[in-house]
Amino acid sequence: MARAAPSPRSDPAARFDALYTACYRDILGYALRRTSQPQEAADVVADTFLTAWHRIGDVPPGDQARPWLFGVARRVLANHRRGARRHGDLAARLGAELARHPVVEADAATGELAEIGRVFRSLHDGDQELLRLVAWEGLDSAGLAVALGCSANAARIRLHRARRRFAKALRAAGVAADGLPAARTASSVTT
Amino acid sequence: MTSRDDQDRLVALLAPYRTHTAIAAADPEGDVAQELRTMIIDTPRPGTAPDVPQRRPSPWRRRLLIAVPAAAALTAGAFGATMLLPPADPGTAPIPVPVGPAPAQALEITEDGDYVEVRVVDPLADTERFTEELAAAGYDIELSLAPVEPSSVGTIVFMETGDVGGGRSIEIIEAPGECGSEYGGGIGPCDVGLRIPEEFDSYAHVVFGRAATAEEGGEGAPEGAEGFESDANPGDAPIVTPEQREVLNSLYGMTLGEARETVESHGWTYELRGMFDAENEAIEAGEVTDDWYVNDVATLAGGVVLLWVNEEDQHG
């Protein structure tokens, strides 16, 4: 999941190709895990990489490229939810392919896991997304900082606060995670 | 059970997953992904986009420096205005655009190849005039300027563009100089207008921040001016009078208890925010205690003070 970012910088097309190959699967996974409709996920992927292509000169080098793309994907997703930009024509085939594979909501499960899902969704959206970026996308504080557009210190503070609020909410709900299955690996989510 | 690793494990368990392996869609070298890649890369990149790394503000925080000398606006009693581009070299004079009677046009609209370039000539013109002139040029673009704090002058405080179907969209015209602030997206070149593709037939709404007149609460504002207590300047960067700024600046580093007392003594209300909370989410008063510290301060119209608080004094 945490692949190295592409390095060629002189040729925009070559740089985009390297970025696309290295991060496509991660961005697709990001979109699939946050949308309910296959076409919406496809649009998020298309718009994220379209933005990256248009702003290829802004993509940071090295390991920062991947969290930078997550930051773009966050904004694209937010815009989609406001009914803004859509490029269905770009992503029509991807959307159709994704539609062949139904999504299973993990927290639709019953019992303790369902309760954990309920507690998690009671958090602020921002806290939820911070915790998802860490647990689902594998970002550390430095990656969060790039994705959120803030300093690493600020990212650490925000993450600390989000973890504390989640722990408090779990305690208040009397949730214990003993006996829950081990987490699926992130790479199994979309492949 | 709520250690970091445990939390991450719980959250990972909540991830939705697909019941089948979508090899064709998930493989970046597969047909589906390669078709998408080709369509994207065939899309023309904005002509002015650099191919080398460069600090660039968020599209929502682009800059346009339009300074309105308060005295001129007052003495003219009308729409006398000057637009200033900051000098390319700090020791040289700004480039003036004539001061005088209201221009015949609110916008300067010129053609440049297959683009139309739009520059604001009269920053104090009614929004309707901008929109009318753009409509006359064949565009459905709502353009306006809102009075903002000096640190936000030259910043686009709102920008929304409709779907262009993968085609060319609106670009920002830049000019050499140092615009913006370290806290408003960074200091960088000034953006002085819009560059609109000839074929652009979508919708756009752009609001540039401009300097406020004294009447609005900017520099030279009379004592007791409403400033951000007014509801007349909605948005996320309302005007703050120098008097109000002095009080607001004093809040940095105060404890929440002290800050609350100060805010309320001026008849303002306050909302609490988590420190560095980019999502702008409110936190409840019950989540913090009076001995927390104010690390950042902002304002909303209607006399609302936003206080970013933290257990530690980090305002530096």
Side-chain angles (χ1 to χ4, degrees):
Chain A
M1 176 176 64
R3 285 178 285 278
S7 58
R9 302 187 63 79
S10 55
D11 177 5
R15 182 145 200 259
F16 178 79
D17 274 347
L19 185 73
Y20 190 82
T21 303
C23 301
Y24 169 85
R25 195 187 299 263
D26 291 339
I27 297 303
L28 176 61
Y30 176 95
L32 286 171
R33 287 187 283 267
R34 289 163 177 79
T35 55
S36 56
Q37 299 300 318
Q39 189 56 56
E40 187 183 9
D43 285 341
V44 169
V45 174
D47 276 357
T48 298
F49 281 109
L50 185 66
T51 299
W53 169 237
H54 286 173
R55 297 181 55 197
I56 194 68
D58 296 337
V59 179
D63 291 342
Q64 292 191 330
R66 182 173 173 271
W68 184 88
L69 275 178
F70 286 132
V72 173
R74 285 183 72 232
R75 290 188 288 276
V76 166
L77 187 60
N79 281 340
H80 274 252
R81 286 176 174 162
R82 286 196 296 267
R85 299 166 57 83
R86 287 188 183 280
H87 291 287
D89 50 341
L90 271 183
R93 189 175 168 204
L94 177 59
E97 181 66 26
L98 296 176
R100 297 170 50 201
H101 304 277
V103 175
V104 172
E105 291 289 339
D107 52 0
T110 57
E112 195 97 281
L113 187 56
E115 181 62 8
I116 292 168
R118 188 195 64 73
V119 171
F120 185 74
R121 288 191 300 275
S122 74
L123 301 176
H124 291 305
D125 288 346
D127 283 354
Q128 289 185 45
E129 183 60 4
L130 271 178
L131 296 170
R132 286 191 210 107
L133 284 169
V134 172
W136 294 5
E137 271 46 78
L139 295 189
D140 57 14
S141 294
L144 280 180
V146 175
L148 302 177
C150 63
S151 69
N153 184 49
R156 275 193 295 275
I157 292 170
R158 291 185 58 187
L159 182 59
H160 171 73
R161 289 172 55 80
R163 287 192 187 285
R164 204 171 53 180
R165 285 192 279 254
F166 188 32
K168 182 180 174 186
L170 287 169
R171 279 197 303 274
V175 173
D178 299 344
L180 284 171
R184 292 179 299 279
T185 61
S187 60
S188 70
V189 171
T190 59
T191 58
Chain B
M1 85 125 262
T2 52
S3 71
R4 290 180 178 188
D5 289 346
D6 284 341
Q7 277 201 354
D8 291 348
R9 185 173 69 90
L10 293 182
V11 176
L13 283 168
L14 301 176
Y17 59 96
R18 285 181 138 55
T19 54
H20 296 89
T21 302
I23 290 292
D27 179 6
E29 303 292 344
D31 290 348
V32 176
Q34 283 300 304
E35 180 183 290
L36 174 60
R37 173 215 157 268
T38 302
M39 292 173 76
I40 288 172
I41 216 162
D42 283 347
T43 303
R45 295 168 55 235
T48 54
D51 291 337
V52 292
Q54 175 178 310
R55 180 217 54 73
R56 191 176 182 83
S58 151
W60 318 113
R61 293 289 180 191
R62 303 304 300 272
R63 300 176 178 82
L64 171 78
L65 183 71
I66 300 176
V68 183
L74 274 178
T75 54
F79 298 107
T82 296
M83 295 172 63
L84 297 177
L85 294 179
D89 170 29
T92 62
I95 305 165
V97 172
V99 177
Q105 292 183 305
L107 301 175
E108 177 189 78
I109 302 178
T110 57
E111 293 182 10
D112 179 21
D114 54 356
Y115 280 87
V116 169
E117 295 190 343
V118 176
R119 290 175 171 81
V120 177
V121 178
D122 180 2
L124 296 184
D126 288 341
T127 296
E128 282 184 10
R129 283 188 64 197
F130 294 132
T131 304
E132 283 169 7
E133 290 180 19
L134 286 165
Y139 294 113
D140 180 13
I141 297 176
E142 188 179 342
L143 173 65
S144 59
L145 289 90
V148 295
E149 276 290 274
S151 61
S152 298
V153 168
T155 297
I156 287 183
V157 293
F158 182 81
M159 183 171 183
E160 179 182 59
T161 56
D163 190 0
V164 292
R168 301 186 303 175
S169 191
I170 295 175
E171 300 171 11
I172 307 297
I173 300 173
E174 294 184 343
E178 293 185 358
C179 288
S181 74
E182 290 181 7
Y183 303 102
I187 296 173
C190 303
D191 298 327
V192 295
L194 302 177
R195 190 168 152 84
I196 310 167
E198 200 174 51
E199 74 280 7
F200 183 83
D201 60 0
S202 188
Y203 160 83
H205 184 189
V206 184
V207 182
F208 290 110
R210 64 162 172 79
T213 66
E215 288 167 315
E216 291 169 330
E219 188 178 347
E223 196 172 336
E226 276 193 300
F228 79 104
E229 294 170 17
S230 168
D231 286 320
N233 298 314
D236 61 1
I239 304 305
V240 176
T241 69
E243 286 174 273
Q244 292 169 341
R245 171 57 57 202
E246 192 174 336
V247 177
L248 292 167
N249 284 344
S250 74
L251 299 175
Y252 287 84
M254 279 189 182
T255 64
L256 176 56
E258 294 166 340
R260 177 185 288 121
E261 195 173 313
T262 302
V263 165
E264 290 176 347
S265 73
H266 287 80
W268 304 331
T269 58
Y270 68 93
E271 291 181 13
L272 299 179
R273 297 284 191 271
M275 184 60 188
F276 299 118
D277 198 335
E279 303 300 324
N280 230 13
E281 294 157 355
I283 57 177
E284 301 300 326
E287 292 184 65
V288 301
T289 55
D290 276 359
D291 58 353
W292 281 37
Y293 292 93
V294 174
N295 284 286
D296 205 356
V297 177
T299 52
L300 294 176
V304 181
V305 181
L306 304 181
L307 300 173
W308 275 263
V309 294
N310 193 271
E311 289 169 290
E312 299 170 13
D313 184 5
Q314 298 178 328
H315 85 283

